[in-house]
Structures are given as structure tokens and as C-alpha cells.
Amino acid sequence: MFCRESLSSLQTLSVAKSLSSLFPKQSALTSLISAGRRNKLPLPNLRRRCKVTASRSNIEQEGNIVKEPIKKIKVKGYITAQEEFLEGITWLRPLDEIADIRGRSLLVELISAQTDQRITVEDYAQRVWAEAPDEKYECEFEMPEDFGPVGAIKVQNQYHRQLFLKGMELELPGGSVTFTCESWVAPKSVDPTKRIFFSNKSYLPSETPEPLKKYRKEELETLQGKNREQVGEFTKFERIYDYDVYNDVGDPDNDPELARPVIGGLAHPYPRRCKTGRKPCETDPSSEQRYGGEFYVPRDEEFSTAKATSFKGKAVLAAIPSIFPQIESVLLDPQSPFPHFKAIQNLFEEGIQLPKNAGLLPLLPRIIKALGEAQDDILQFEAPVLIDRDRFSWLRDDEFARQTLAGLNPYSIQLVEEWPLKSKLDPAVYGDPTSLITWEIVEREVKGNMTVDEALKSKRLFVLDYHDLLLPYVNKVRELDNTTLYASRTLFFLSDDSTLRPVAIELTCPPNINKPQWKQVFTPGYDATSRWLWKLAKTHAVSHDAGYHQLISHWLRTHCCTEPYIIAANRQLSAMHPIYRLLHPHFRYTMEINSRARQSLVNGGGIIETCFWPGKYSLELSSAVYDKLWRFDMEGLPADLIRRGLAEEDETAEHGLRLRIPDYPFANDGLILWDAIKEWVTDYVKHYYPDEGLITSDEELQGWWSEVRNIGHGDKKDEPWWPVLKTQDDLIGVVTTIAWVASGHHAAVNFGQYGYGGYFPNRPTTTRIRMPVEEPTDEELKEFYESPEKVMLKTYPSQKQATLVMVTLDLLSTHSPDEEYIGEQPESTWANDPVIYAAFKKFKGRLEYLEGVIDERNVNITLKNRAGAGVVKYELLKPLSDHGVTGMGVPYSISI
């Protein structure tokens, strides 16, 4: 081991040689370090293991008084970190190797939780070991004996590159102290400020040790942007969390056709997104520029190194704009329909040839097949589970009905409580509000088993009702190219075996300047013509459900509405706050995936607008639903089921609810998951808040919830239904709801997307021509009677639309190899407290129980909505999963 004093000449030589590595030849020392990294060898330790700095001498003179030397103990610290993905090959590496050689990789300072510090205790951490992707660092401190417990550390990155700091273990005489960091630390050349990280012990604000209070406050002010000096667009190292409206989905500077209204505010109420600080557009100052590069999100909200490396989700989402033109270029006629159903089947059996140099194989390895060096690649989709189990199931009415309870969108089916069905829209604008679905029609389909009053009383009628939501958009959407739209109602009858039977679909067009209101009812029928009309009406109704699912059940209610909770939590809750630490795993990567969605999915001209029926009105439509229907107090599963009439409160029933449809797989499994989450949250909250006064006096907690209501969801701040945080039950309800939305709700509507939507005739995302009975021409009628299959194919999305959606759904349905599933592993801060760790173990046990229950239910053939010949098992709320497209697995957070 060398002392530092003996190394001055050697370091001078090493610096010169390392700088020469910027040219073709590397120095011997940098080569040694590089070889050590490749071969997982310990790195050279060329410094004396001693304290590096001291802020005052051990003996102080104050007048004639000489103090005794401060008694000190040696304390070792061990840090784990990761390089940024692919950054190790940049030209900065030789400069950083100099820091490694000098033993000055990271500067670490200890902060006492007991005494005000009059002496700085710090040391340089040296990189001593590397095994991709992890790197290990060591430091040794000379700490005064009376220093007290270490409550925080400050870290300054001496490298020229950012570093992902995973954590630090500090070995003290009384036991080790852990600091879980999980954060990117910018180099001091970019941000010279020392980053603060608190130990794994959680504190309410009122219980925070006095020496830590100022650091707690300063860190929150940094995240709020109060200490920001520069102006303009945010840079990632700033870590600023702030709010803005959705004014960056349009691109009027690039193309006037891509101008979009601001979503958020009085005209179009909406949750807020993360502010980026970009400049306003030149042609529309109310909109924000979309110039090249990634949209800002705070660095710690981006995908981890592992996720970016192994999943490539970030790369694929970023590459979507370039992927799709290449796929479109090989389609014979992108805007045309598929010529026959065999052509659709060929997407799974034969595939489409792609040029070898297209470069898509690394991005889409699941669906791009490499045939050989001399041959083109093949775009060949995996058969979705729906047609893999029964390729004709999508045609059947029972499967159509089953999917409202156990499919991709179990959030729309609702109980019929009034008859006749009637619109609440203004009849002067939209025409006769009364539905044409009469009881005579229903009686004919249910064989006259009961009267309308009996059916309503026995809760037998259910509906997918998109009538009032869609009717105001019908005329506007019909003005768009290559698409059409109706308002729809689909009525179902509940059979004794707990299955639904579709009995009628009503399609409606409002009046316009040229024609009166048009509407017609379609039933399953008993002859060829009526059966084909029923199939076509069902195609329109399912398309409406597919669009509602993507824009409302999925995007709005999970991704969009969760982002304000995350922004507010980072601005108002300290990283040492127990509620922040409880919610943090439910927030991972959501802001990143939302920013990607604004770039490629929900933006003007993006995937949603191109391939789904609302077109350029997509976000306007989701804003209308947010305005009329979204309520935080109805986002929890029990409240949602009661609101839709699918359950009623019953203290004697399991979960305290009695389901109207006993075999409702989403609700059956979801309520077990909901109860498990609520019990875990209850144990956690009551541990940290044993009495209500701690909740009302917690200024961080109250500030967080106030900001969620008044800013993040500020367009609804005056609604009377917002919960107020006064009691443990209030806080338990709020946190359970947020955790459920991020985990169970999102999993239920996301990870079955390819399984049910990958074969697009089952869930067409748009319809392109009208029903053949709506003011048809002679040619249209002739084509319908002579070739109804061709009419159906023309109704479906085009070849381009269908293929783009299939690629997107395959990506969005995929679990990454490093997916973090709910209850699988505890957060390190939870494991730090024995009471919380015991509660987590109980939570984990309940989730393991749920796994077994789901397996048992899926082989019980009396449960016809989840078991039977060719029936897709309902596994979307099964907590754990392998990576890939599995149709199961509940991650903690909205990470894709």
C-alpha cells in the first residue's frame, strides 16, 4: 500500500499519461484499470487509507486555553453505484480514471442527527471494485466519539460523468447505518452542490432531529426550484418538479394541421403534467415547442440503467416515429383494408418481409425474425392468447359479453337502473333523447322470461353506454379523413349462470345542417342479413370500447391522473417522510413513460390520433370525461364498483360488498388485491400516526394533499368530494386509492392489451365506413348483399393502422426483466423498521394467497367467465410474472 505523500511524482506521470489517452494510445495505468474492469479485478488502491480533510485542528487555542485533542474513531463506508448506460465508452473515461487513481472519486460528508456539527467529517471514496453494472467504493472517516448517530450524508461526484448512486453502508461501533440513495448524482463540474441523502430511518416532520431539519427543508426547496439560478428549459441535473398544462402535444410551428388546443384549464379541464420550461411556439404562444430531443423529466424519474439496457423500452418508445415509416413502406397499400381474413392471419403465420438494413431487429426482437445474413428480416407477430386458444372466439356473442367482465376494459359495464334508456343531452341540439331499444325488443331476445320491472328489480340489465359521451363528437369526427363514428349503447341481459348475453346495440348520429337525427337498433338476428348487420354493429360498439379503454380507463385514469401525485410528493414530502417512502415504489418511471407518451403516442399525429377513432379530438375527449366523470373518491375499486351499480355494500359479504354479477373476474380478484393493499397501508399508517393529531399537524403531508387538489388537479379543486386528511382512515383511504390505481388498476387495463387487441378484429381501434343501412347508395347496398365480408374488412382499420397498433400493443404489454412486482421485495427503508417489515411480510403472504386463489378459480369450469373450452384464463391481477408478454403480473407502478 502506498502513502499519498510518496505518490506525487507518480500521480503527475499518471495524469500526463491519462490525458494522452485522449489520443490513440492509453497510459499503462488507465489500461490497468480498464483491464481490471473487464476482468472483474480489484482496482488499484494508490492512496493511504487515512482521513483526507479536516476542518479544524485537533487542538484549538482560545486565548490562553488549550483544548484537549478530540477523541476520534475510524468509521468505514461502502458505496454501491452504477455508470450511466453506455457512458463508459465516452472520451470522459480517461479523465475519470485519473480521479480513481488519485482515490478521489466521490467526496462524502457525514451529517450528525444528534449534535450541531462544528467539525466537518468527510472523506474521498475510492473505487475499489467493479463488476458490471455495479461499482464499489470505499471511504474511511475519522469521526469524533461524541458525533452521535449519523442521520444523513452529503455526496459530491468528482467524476466528469453522472453516476447512479445506489446506496451506502456505514459501519459504526453500535451497528451499521444504511442510506438508500437510488439517485443520479451529477458531476461537480455541472452541479457543485453536495447532494443530501438521509438514512433509512423515517421521520415525521415534527419528529425530525434538530440538526437534520435544515437539510430536510433545503432539499425540498431544491426540488421545488426555489434555488434555481438559471432561466429557460430545465436540465435533468436540476431535479425540479413543477406543473404545467398539456400544451405540448401539438406542433403548430412544424405543421398548422398539428395545432392542438391547450388541455388543462377552464376550456378543457385536465390534470397537470411535469413542467419542462421549453419556449412557446412562434405561431401559437399558448403552445410549447417540441424541438428535438427528449422531453425533460427529473433525472431520477427516468428508466434505470437496467431497464434501459435489458428492456429497451425507452429506446423503442423514442424510436417509434422512425420505426413506423419503415413498416409502412413494405405494406403494399397501407391505407387499404386487408383483402381477406387470411391476410390478417398471415401476420402471425407468414409475416411481412422487411429490408435487412431497417435496423428494427434490436428494437423489436419479439416480432422481428432474422432468417439469415443473406435474407430479409421478417415482421411476424406472435399469435395473441385469444386466437391461440380459440381462433374463432372473437366472433361469438358470449365472448363479446365475457370480455366486458374479464377482458381488457372491465371498467365500463354498468347496471341499468332506469327504463327506458334516455339521453341527458339537449334534445334541441342532439335530437330525441329516448332510446329505440324497447322492452318488446328485449323480451324477444330473452324469450319473455320476465317483465321490464322484474328485470330492473332483479338487477338483470347491464349496459355499455357511450351514447352521451360520443354524440357531441360524431359530426366532428365524421369530417376527418377515412373514419366514421356513431354514439352507441349496448344492452346485456344477466343469465342465471352469471354470464351476460348481448341483446341489442343502438347506433345514433345527431342531426346536422343537412339531415335529421339517425338511429337504429340491431339485434343478434335469425337470418343472414340481420346477423351480418349485427356483426357490423358489434364492430362499431367494440371500437368505441377500445377507444374509451385506451384514452380513459388506461391513459387518463392511471397515467395522467397519477402524475400530479408524484410531482406533489416530491415537492412537499421529504425523502425521509414515511408516506413518501410508502408511495415511492408506486411512482417509479411513471413521469418518464408519460413524457414518452406525449412525444409519440398521444401527441398530434401520433399513434392514438392516427389509429383510434377520436383522431385529433382524442385528448379533448379525455378532457370531457375528466370534467364530467372523474372523482378521486370514486377511483378506489369498491367505490368504482358501487358507482357503476356492479356492487352494493353488505357487511355480511366478503370484502364488505355483494357483487351484482357473482362471476366478475376483475372484481373477484381485484377485491382481494384491494383488501391486501388496504391492510398493508393501514398497518403502515397506524405505526407512524398512532393518533390523529399527528396527521393534522404534519405540514408536509397537508402540503402534499393540498397541492394535489389545488394545483395538480386544480381544475377540480372546488369539488366537494375531495377527501380531507384529518384521521387515520382519511389517510389510509387516500394512500390505498393511489396505490391501487398505480398497481392493480393499471395492470388490469394494460398487460392484456396484446392478448386481446393483438388480433385487431377482436378490438378494432377505429371504424372507417358507415353501416350499410345508413343512407346507403345502390352500390353500397349491392356490395353488402353480395360480399358482406368485404364490407366488414373495409370497416376495420387499414393495414397501416392495424399493423402500427399491433406493434405498439406488443410493446406496451411487455414486462421488463427487472420489473418490480407488488409485494415481491420490500423497500430497504421498510426492512429497516421491524414493525413495518413484519407488516410487509403479512402483505406478501396475502398476495401469495391471491396467486393460489386465481389459479384455483381458473380451473373451476362453473366460473364460465374465466374457465371453459378455449376460454382465456383471467390472470391480469396475478401479482407475479415472468418477463415478456404474459398477460399477468402487477407491478408496483405505471412503468409502461
Side-chain angles (χ1 to χ4, degrees):
M1 194 68 66
F2 297 94
C3 280
R4 176 162 301 137
E5 288 80 358
S6 67
L7 286 177
S8 58
S9 60
L10 176 60
Q11 287 178 345
T12 302
L13 178 62
S14 70
V15 169
K17 289 185 176 181
S18 293
L19 289 175
S20 72
S21 69
L22 298 177
F23 299 95
K25 292 187 177 181
Q26 278 194 328
S27 71
L29 284 170
T30 55
S31 297
L32 174 63
I33 291 176
S34 298
R37 184 179 298 107
R38 288 193 301 271
N39 296 287
K40 305 176 184 177
L41 299 174
L43 299 178
N45 186 350
L46 301 182
R47 71 179 180 113
R48 187 176 64 186
R49 303 298 287 163
C50 59
K51 187 177 186 306
V52 178
T53 62
S55 296
R56 73 174 188 186
S57 63
N58 291 338
I59 300 177
E60 294 183 357
Q61 272 192 298
E62 297 179 7
N64 296 322
I65 301 174
V66 178
K67 291 188 175 181
E68 292 294 324
I70 299 173
K71 293 183 179 180
K72 298 182 180 180
I73 56 175
K74 289 187 181 293
V75 174
K76 283 193 173 183
Y78 304 92
I79 295 174
T80 306
Q82 288 182 352
E83 288 186 287
E84 186 174 16
F85 176 51
L86 293 183
E87 193 158 332
I89 63 173
T90 69
W91 67 275
L92 295 173
R93 165 55 60 192
L95 296 175
D96 291 338
E97 287 173 346
I98 298 171
D100 291 334
I101 294 167
R102 297 178 63 205
R104 295 191 169 210
S105 307
L106 300 168
L107 178 60
V108 184
E109 178 184 345
L110 305 185
I111 307 295
S112 173
Q114 179 174 298
T115 59
D116 287 329
Q117 292 177 233
R118 292 169 298 159
I119 184 170
T120 300
V121 179
E122 61 184 17
D123 189 25
Y124 284 100
Q126 182 185 24
R127 189 157 63 99
V128 296
W129 177 81
E131 181 177 358
D134 288 344
E135 299 177 341
K136 302 290 184 181
Y137 298 78
E138 287 185 8
C139 44
E140 185 175 84
F141 306 91
E142 292 183 355
M143 190 175 80
E145 281 187 338
D146 62 352
F147 192 77
V150 180
I153 58 173
K154 282 185 167 184
V155 179
Q156 187 183 62
N157 181 3
Q158 305 295 298
Y159 287 138
H160 292 78
R161 57 190 166 91
Q162 60 183 339
L163 199 68
F164 185 71
L165 202 62
K166 297 180 72 174
M168 176 174 171
E169 193 82 15
L170 193 63
E171 290 185 349
L172 296 169
S176 63
V177 178
T178 303
F179 301 83
T180 300
C181 305
E182 297 290 329
S183 180
W184 290 97
V185 180
K188 71 174 184 179
S189 59
V190 174
D191 183 9
T193 307
K194 291 181 180 178
R195 287 284 307 279
I196 187 82
F197 296 101
F198 300 106
S199 75
N200 283 2
K201 182 174 175 56
S202 298
Y203 294 101
L204 297 178
S206 61
E207 299 170 346
T208 307
E210 195 63 34
L212 299 182
K213 286 184 177 179
K214 68 174 182 178
Y215 298 110
R216 184 171 186 147
K217 180 181 178 183
E218 287 172 1
E219 176 69 359
L220 285 176
E221 289 177 346
T222 296
L223 297 176
Q224 293 165 8
K226 291 184 178 180
N227 300 326
R228 189 176 195 239
E229 297 180 356
Q230 64 190 75
V231 295
E233 184 173 2
F234 296 160
T235 57
K236 294 185 185 301
F237 82 88
E238 292 182 282
R239 304 182 301 125
I240 294 174
Y241 293 79
D242 207 348
Y243 302 91
D244 210 339
V245 293
Y246 281 74
N247 63 348
D248 63 345
V249 292
D251 194 4
D253 285 354
N254 185 48
D255 184 349
E257 291 295 317
L258 295 179
R260 297 291 181 269
V262 173
I263 305 297
L266 292 176
H268 300 290
Y270 219 53
R272 296 301 186 260
R273 63 164 174 90
C274 177
K275 185 175 182 177
T276 67
R278 283 170 290 158
K279 296 179 181 179
C281 291
E282 295 180 1
T283 57
D284 178 12
S286 66
S287 295
E288 196 171 75
Q289 290 185 10
R290 290 175 56 89
Y291 40 77
E294 300 176 2
F295 287 8
Y296 166 83
V297 293
R299 185 64 179 94
D300 288 344
E301 300 299 331
E302 292 189 341
F303 292 144
S304 71
T305 300
K307 199 174 188 75
T309 305
S310 55
F311 178 40
K312 297 185 174 62
K314 179 178 177 179
V316 176
L317 285 172
I320 276 178
S322 61
I323 288 174
F324 289 158
Q326 295 183 64
I327 295 176
E328 183 179 354
S329 68
V330 299
L331 298 174
L332 293 178
D333 192 349
Q335 300 302 330
S336 292
F338 285 87
H340 40 69
F341 277 93
K342 183 62 170 69
I344 299 174
Q345 194 66 30
N346 284 345
L347 293 174
F348 310 102
E349 296 177 353
E350 298 179 6
I352 304 170
Q353 285 191 334
L354 293 173
K356 175 63 70 175
N357 60 0
L360 301 183
L361 179 58
L363 296 175
L364 304 170
R366 207 177 93 90
I367 56 178
I368 304 293
K369 316 298 181 186
L371 299 183
E373 292 185 4
Q375 296 177 276
D376 288 339
D377 291 337
I378 296 292
L379 172 66
Q380 184 178 346
F381 293 93
E382 298 283 341
V385 63
L386 180 75
I387 62 167
D388 190 50
R389 293 181 70 89
D390 182 350
R391 65 184 296 183
F392 299 112
S393 62
W394 65 278
L395 283 166
R396 297 198 312 269
D397 289 346
D398 64 284
E399 179 63 18
F400 166 48
R402 189 192 72 83
Q403 288 183 30
T404 66
L405 303 174
L408 192 51
N409 184 29
Y411 271 100
S412 286
I413 190 74
Q414 57 185 300
L415 179 71
V416 174
E417 301 188 71
E418 296 180 357
W419 194 266
L421 301 174
K422 196 170 184 179
S423 171
K424 294 180 174 60
L425 298 176
D426 184 355
V429 177
Y430 297 104
D432 184 1
T434 304
S435 171
L436 293 182
I437 302 177
T438 64
W439 187 247
E440 289 73 24
I441 292 174
V442 177
E443 277 189 321
R444 185 172 70 240
E445 296 302 321
V446 301
K447 313 303 181 188
N449 286 336
M450 59 183 66
T451 66
V452 62
D453 289 336
E454 291 171 339
L456 291 174
K457 187 176 181 180
S458 60
K459 317 297 184 187
R460 294 292 188 119
L461 296 179
F462 295 83
V463 66
L464 284 180
D465 192 349
Y466 297 124
H467 183 278
D468 285 10
L469 172 64
L470 301 192
L471 202 59
Y473 290 88
V474 169
N475 287 332
K476 291 193 289 187
V477 169
R478 286 188 165 208
E479 293 177 357
L480 303 177
D481 293 336
N482 208 27
T483 190
T484 192
L485 183 63
Y486 295 96
S488 68
R489 295 184 179 102
T490 304
L491 189 69
F492 299 86
F493 182 82
L494 179 63
S495 302
D496 293 338
D497 62 359
S498 202
T499 60
L500 292 175
R501 185 194 317 170
V503 295
I505 295 173
E506 180 178 38
L507 300 179
T508 304
C509 291
N512 61 34
I513 194 170
N514 298 316
K515 64 178 184 179
Q517 182 192 65
W518 179 93
K519 56 185 172 184
Q520 188 165 330
V521 176
F522 303 89
T523 59
Y526 302 93
D527 60 82
T529 300
S530 60
R531 284 178 184 273
W532 270 107
L533 289 173
W534 170 253
K535 289 184 179 73
L536 292 168
K538 196 164 59 169
T539 298
H540 287 276
V542 173
S543 172
H544 302 159
D545 189 64
Y548 186 91
H549 157 263
Q550 199 63 264
L551 282 166
I552 311 303
S553 301
H554 185 200
W555 164 252
L556 173 66
R557 293 181 63 180
T558 65
H559 287 262
C560 208
C561 287
T562 297
E563 188 156 345
Y565 312 146
I566 303 171
I567 299 172
N570 282 278
R571 287 170 54 86
Q572 298 296 332
L573 296 176
S574 167
M576 69 167 76
H577 197 291
I579 297 303
Y580 179 90
R581 286 175 165 173
L582 175 59
L583 285 173
H584 183 253
H586 295 288
F587 292 161
R588 285 193 186 106
Y589 310 135
T590 301
M591 291 177 66
E592 163 79 348
I593 201 67
N594 286 0
S595 77
R596 295 288 174 182
R598 300 202 317 274
Q599 287 177 267
S600 304
L601 298 178
V602 299
N603 59 300
I607 305 304
I608 300 297
E609 287 195 3
T610 301
C611 302
F612 286 75
W613 51 261
K616 70 178 184 179
Y617 302 106
S618 293
L619 284 194
E620 283 187 51
L621 179 77
S622 67
S623 167
V625 174
Y626 176 76
D627 183 34
K628 295 184 176 77
L629 299 178
W630 188 85
R631 296 178 48 156
F632 180 86
D633 63 328
M634 295 295 175
E635 289 302 289
L637 180 57
D640 173 81
L641 294 170
I642 293 169
R643 182 189 198 186
R644 291 187 285 120
L646 270 295
E648 60 182 345
E649 292 183 345
D650 184 346
E651 294 182 358
T652 66
E654 189 178 12
H655 315 295
L657 293 179
R658 185 171 302 280
L659 294 177
R660 307 287 194 195
I661 303 176
D663 182 16
Y664 186 179
F666 161 70
N668 297 133
D669 299 352
L671 286 170
I672 298 177
L673 178 57
W674 169 271
D675 283 354
I677 294 172
K678 185 174 182 181
E679 182 182 62
W680 155 239
V681 171
T682 299
D683 290 342
Y684 190 100
V685 166
K686 290 189 174 181
H687 175 66
Y688 286 104
Y689 296 94
D691 65 74
E692 296 176 355
L694 290 171
I695 293 177
T696 55
S697 65
D698 187 336
E699 66 270 17
E700 286 185 8
L701 183 70
Q702 297 296 334
W704 166 64
W705 191 236
S706 174
E707 195 165 288
V708 166
R709 172 177 176 170
N710 293 299
I711 303 178
H713 285 275
D715 293 337
K716 284 182 165 283
K717 65 182 179 180
D718 296 323
E719 298 288 355
W721 39 255
W722 280 102
V724 178
L725 296 184
K726 292 183 177 179
T727 68
Q728 289 104 327
D729 286 344
D730 294 336
L731 181 55
I732 289 164
V734 165
V735 173
T736 303
T737 296
I738 292 173
W740 161 259
V741 169
S743 57
H745 181 151
H746 181 259
V749 299
N750 184 76
F751 292 105
Q753 290 196 83
Y754 189 74
Y756 283 105
Y759 186 72
F760 71 86
N762 181 62
R763 289 189 70 77
T765 57
T766 189
T767 51
R768 302 196 300 151
I769 62 172
R770 300 172 301 174
M771 290 288 291
V773 291
E774 184 200 346
E775 301 181 347
T777 64
D778 291 340
E779 289 184 359
E780 289 171 340
L781 270 180
K782 180 181 179 183
E783 183 178 47
F784 170 62
Y785 283 114
E786 292 184 355
S787 185
E789 178 182 326
K790 185 179 293 186
V791 174
M792 177 172 278
L793 290 165
K794 285 184 176 181
T795 303
Y796 287 150
S798 68
Q799 294 183 43
K800 171 187 174 181
Q801 290 171 321
T803 308
L804 301 193
V805 168
M806 290 167 70
V807 171
T808 304
L809 296 188
D810 183 88
L811 169 65
L812 298 182
S813 302
T814 301
H815 288 295
S816 69
D818 70 330
E819 194 81 83
E820 298 173 31
Y821 297 101
I822 189 168
E824 185 178 22
Q825 297 292 335
E827 294 287 289
S828 56
T829 56
W830 303 344
N832 189 69
D833 188 311
V835 175
I836 295 301
Y837 185 62
F840 174 81
K841 295 294 286 186
K842 184 170 64 171
F843 176 48
K844 182 181 178 73
R846 293 200 65 170
L847 297 180
E848 290 171 349
Y849 166 76
L850 174 57
E851 292 257 349
V853 168
I854 290 174
D855 287 340
E856 290 179 3
R857 287 173 172 172
N858 284 335
V859 295
N860 184 350
I861 60 173
T862 65
L863 302 177
K864 297 182 179 179
N865 290 322
R866 65 189 308 154
V871 173
V872 177
K873 297 176 181 179
Y874 191 76
E875 298 180 305
L876 289 171
L877 293 178
K878 208 171 180 182
L880 302 181
S881 172
D882 293 329
H883 66 270
V885 178
T886 64
M888 65 179 75
V890 181
Y892 272 113
S893 65
I894 303 164
S895 59
I896 188 62

